[in-house]
Amino acid sequence: MLFDKIVFLTMHSLKNMFLFMMAMTFIVLYFVWSSQGREVRGKSEPPEKFFLCHFSYEDMRNTVQSDSLPTIYFITPTYPRREQAAELTRLGQTLMHVPNLHWIVADDNQACNDMVTKLLKKFGIPFTHIASPMPEIYRKAETIPRGVANRRAALNWIRKNVKSGVFYFGDDDNTFDLELFDEIRDTKKVSMFPVGLIGDYAVSSPVLKEGKIIGFFDSWPSKRKFPVDMAGFAVNIELLLSHPNASMPYKAGYEEDQFLRSLGVTIGDIEPKGKSCTQILVWHTQTTKKPVPVLKFRTRPDNSLRELYEELHFLGMADYSRSKGVISYVTKDGVTHRL
């Protein structure tokens, strides 16, 4: 009897221990599951804020327009820096020579920048100016996905306002041959072409054999299906509209590849341009970025420098202070006079 009782108590204890372990396992699994859920939610895309600043469909240039030419929607992501006005001016004066073009400039800014709007009006090009700030969570990333919010804002505007044509991503610091626009205007789905000054190869391009694309020449393939540069392709707007969920990811280095994948593009869809991808019509030039200088004035100038400074400040090229910054001088007959 005693033995049976001991066995019974032992079995009862083991049963209780088993139930306890099962309960603890369930609790641990629950917390793991719930924490994973929070992690997934934390990684979901934050809400984006796009502001339409100004738009104009009026073409004030002297270029000959033609209703038979498809319109090119040239998407330019930009952001405030001291070189911004200079680079938009250089690009704008190139685009002035391209007929049937609408320029979409998306600025990584929390508010509409009057300087950008005023500058865009100078060129007489039909344009849309959008303020498209990058969500703050991505500014803290180890590798920042620059320009994604801008391009997504431009694509959103196109979906709402355009039915046909071709769009192209053109950065404000790149260099474009006017022949490029003739090449991409008749894009049926997706056209591709070489981009100069990219990576260790100094070029990024599709590779053709007997007129067909057999691969890609790019120094950073990284298992991408489409290892191409953002300036290396153009897309027909009807293809975009037929894929309402197509989007560009906030994933640095993979924006082009995953965007093209989201459009359902295959290698067979690609239309090679630039003399069968043997001619470079766009270069990935980049201006060396420098911080905006602060000029130290003891008193505000009472000469032409006052208006010149106001212009510098308006263009985002310089600022001034009475307490800090670069000490400023005016020189006359070899003698410097502090301001």
Side-chain angles (χ1 to χ4, degrees):
M1 292 291 295
L2 179 61
F3 176 76
D4 292 340
K5 188 174 183 179
I6 292 173
V7 171
F8 173 78
L9 292 174
T10 301
M11 293 297 293
H12 185 69
S13 298
L14 289 173
K15 182 179 179 181
N16 288 341
M17 184 177 294
F18 174 76
L19 292 174
F20 174 77
M21 293 300 295
M22 288 293 292
M24 290 301 296
T25 300
F26 175 79
I27 292 171
V28 170
L29 290 174
Y30 171 78
F31 280 110
V32 170
W33 173 82
S34 62
S35 64
Q36 287 177 339
R38 286 193 296 271
E39 184 179 355
V40 170
R41 287 190 293 273
K43 289 184 178 180
S44 62
E45 292 180 356
E48 296 170 309
K49 298 178 181 179
F50 304 146
F51 308 99
L52 179 61
C53 300
H54 194 89
F55 68 91
S56 172
Y57 292 107
E58 187 174 8
D59 198 321
M60 304 294 292
R61 300 170 294 167
N62 293 323
T63 55
V64 177
Q65 307 299 308
S66 173
D67 293 337
S68 63
L69 286 177
T71 299
I72 295 174
Y73 292 85
F74 193 93
I75 298 172
T76 298
T78 187
Y79 64 98
R81 61 199 188 280
R82 77 176 202 165
E83 298 83 8
Q84 185 178 31
E87 293 184 329
L88 287 174
T89 297
R90 180 176 57 199
L91 176 56
Q93 291 182 350
T94 295
L95 300 182
M96 286 175 67
H97 299 282
V98 184
N100 290 47
L101 181 138
H102 189 103
W103 193 8
I104 306 175
V105 178
D107 192 17
D108 185 356
N109 209 320
Q110 294 292 338
C112 296
N113 187 337
D114 291 339
M115 181 275 290
V116 173
T117 297
K118 181 180 179 180
L119 188 62
L120 296 177
K121 290 179 178 180
K122 286 179 56 176
F123 306 116
I125 304 170
F127 75 91
T128 297
H129 174 203
I130 305 171
S132 52
M134 181 192 303
E136 288 299 319
I137 188 174
Y138 297 117
R139 297 187 192 277
K140 303 173 184 177
E142 183 177 349
T143 305
I144 301 174
R146 301 185 186 280
V148 174
N150 313 60
R151 298 183 185 100
R152 287 165 64 116
L155 293 173
N156 181 64
W157 183 87
I158 287 175
R159 282 191 165 106
K160 292 180 179 179
N161 296 278
V162 183
K163 298 299 182 184
S164 63
V166 174
F167 71 86
Y168 175 75
F169 298 117
D171 289 355
D172 57 4
D173 57 352
N174 285 0
T175 303
F176 306 92
D177 188 313
L178 291 176
E179 190 176 338
L180 174 70
F181 301 94
D182 295 330
E183 290 272 316
I184 67 174
R185 197 181 294 275
D186 64 354
T187 298
K188 302 298 186 296
K189 283 190 175 182
V190 176
S191 57
M192 288 190 182
F193 32 87
V195 180
L197 303 178
I198 289 288
D200 295 337
Y201 297 166
V203 69
S204 173
S205 176
V207 179
L208 274 67
K209 185 175 182 179
E210 297 177 355
K212 295 184 179 181
I213 294 177
I214 60 171
F216 298 89
F217 187 69
D218 189 283
S219 60
W220 190 69
S222 193
K223 298 183 179 180
R224 292 181 294 166
K225 181 178 180 180
F226 300 105
V228 296
D229 183 71
M230 194 68 72
F233 64 93
V235 180
N236 188 290
I237 287 173
E238 292 182 9
L239 178 63
L240 175 71
L241 297 180
S242 69
H243 291 79
N245 296 321
S247 185
M248 185 171 292
Y250 284 100
K251 187 176 182 181
Y254 294 87
E255 297 95 329
E256 302 94 336
D257 179 54
Q258 294 192 17
F259 175 62
L260 291 169
R261 286 173 182 245
S262 72
L263 288 171
V265 175
T266 66
I267 287 184
D269 294 327
I270 299 172
E271 306 151 47
K273 302 290 185 178
K275 292 184 178 178
S276 297
C277 293
T278 62
Q279 181 184 30
I280 296 174
L281 299 173
V282 54
W283 292 263
H284 196 278
T285 48
Q286 293 178 303
T287 303
T288 301
K289 304 297 187 294
K290 292 186 177 181
V292 174
V294 177
L295 308 180
K296 185 177 181 180
F297 295 157
R298 289 186 295 187
T299 59
R300 193 177 184 188
D302 60 357
N303 48 41
S304 63
L305 283 179
R306 176 182 294 185
E307 290 188 22
L308 179 59
Y309 158 72
E310 290 174 353
E311 175 74 355
L312 289 172
H313 180 71
F314 181 70
L315 296 175
M317 295 172 61
D319 209 334
Y320 94 100
S321 171
R322 293 183 180 179
S323 60
K324 61 181 181 180
V326 180
I327 297 176
S328 304
Y329 299 89
V330 168
T331 303
K332 182 180 181 181
D333 296 329
V335 179
T336 57
H337 303 273
R338 185 177 174 183
L339 296 175

